[in-house]
Amino acid sequence: MPRSAEQSERTCIVTRQTAPAERLIRFVAAPDGSVVADLRRRLPGRGVWVTADAEHVRTAERKRLFERSFGTGVHVEPGLADRVADNLRQGAVAAVSLARKAGAAVSGFTKVEAALAKGSVGALIHSTDARADGISKIAAAARRHQGDRPNRPPVIRVFTGDELDLAFGRTNVIHAALLAGPASTNVLKRVRAFADFVGGDMTVGEPDREMVEQDKVSAGS
């Protein structure tokens, strides 16, 4: 029986190296000849694959590797990597929204602390403009309720306040928590895909390091 796309390997047109398909992005040629990312790997037609980070996509665009791979009649609109990043980001925000609608995400310090007390948190979320003292309070609550447990929830810091407002359907969302379960796992998968693609400091933080650094900032203020 053939393996599924998620289990198979593909070759990046930039590096010419083979890797699991989940580490690459599939691109297809649309009917109008434009190159589009097939993030769900469901679009028809022959696809070409690029390592899933923005620099590799930019390299493929700059060196006209998509045109070489697909042949004549194909073109790449400028800013392909930025469009992919936007789509990945929107997918992550949508995943948080779905988790909230499923009752698997809460916002606000009181509800986050209550979830920590129950031990049901799959991930903590802070907006990119969250203040250090607020993050430190959440960190202290996590330590208070979870002690020295080795598997503290990861910390997500890739969403703006506006994006969290949109995901939770309310205003002024700064701190939130995902409850452990499939919805939380899906959000983490989407966030990691976005963070890995854009690189830089927009990552899923390691909880212990995140908490320690924020405590240092708070103590020095």
Side-chain angles (χ1 to χ4, degrees), residues 77-214:
E77 295 294 332
L80 178 60
D82 292 337
R83 291 193 295 277
V84 174
D86 286 343
N87 289 338
L88 289 170
R89 187 176 196 117
Q90 291 169 14
V93 173
V96 175
S97 180
L98 287 174
R100 188 265 301 176
K101 292 176 182 177
V106 297
S107 62
F109 181 85
T110 301
K111 291 183 179 180
V112 171
E113 185 177 27
L116 286 168
K118 294 178 182 178
S120 60
V121 173
L124 294 168
I125 302 176
H126 304 300
S127 73
T128 54
D129 52 352
R131 294 173 60 88
D133 58 348
I135 295 174
S136 183
K137 289 177 181 177
I138 297 289
R143 290 194 300 273
R144 183 167 61 252
H145 294 300
Q146 298 195 320
D148 296 326
R149 295 179 188 176
N151 296 320
R152 286 181 180 174
V155 178
I156 298 172
R157 296 198 66 192
V158 300
F159 300 118
T160 65
D162 288 343
E163 287 171 332
L164 290 180
D165 289 352
L166 177 64
F168 282 89
R170 48 168 292 191
T171 60
N172 199 33
V173 178
I174 305 298
H175 308 287
L178 298 170
L179 307 184
S184 176
T185 301
N186 181 52
V187 173
L188 286 170
K189 180 179 179 181
R190 295 295 188 91
V191 170
R192 287 195 175 104
F194 168 68
D196 288 345
F197 186 81
V198 299
D201 294 329
M202 303 185 73
T203 59
V204 179
E206 292 295 334
D208 289 335
R209 183 173 69 243
E210 186 83 14
M211 292 174 182
V212 169
E213 291 303 317
Q214 291 299 339

Side-chain angles (χ1 to χ4, degrees), residues 41-102:
R41 304 169 195 164
R42 295 176 179 174
L43 296 178
R46 185 173 71 87
V48 300
W49 299 74
V50 179
T51 300
D53 67 63
E55 284 308 308
H56 282 87
V57 174
R58 292 190 182 102
T59 298
E61 180 179 351
R62 184 177 68 253
K63 294 185 176 181
R64 301 181 64 85
L65 299 181
F66 291 111
E67 290 88 340
R68 294 183 192 176
S69 298
F70 284 118
T72 59
V74 170
H75 62 277
V76 178
E77 295 294 332
L80 178 60
D82 292 337
R83 291 193 295 277
V84 174
D86 286 343
N87 289 338
L88 289 170
R89 187 176 196 117
Q90 291 169 14
V93 173
V96 175
S97 180
L98 287 174
R100 188 265 301 176
K101 292 176 182 177

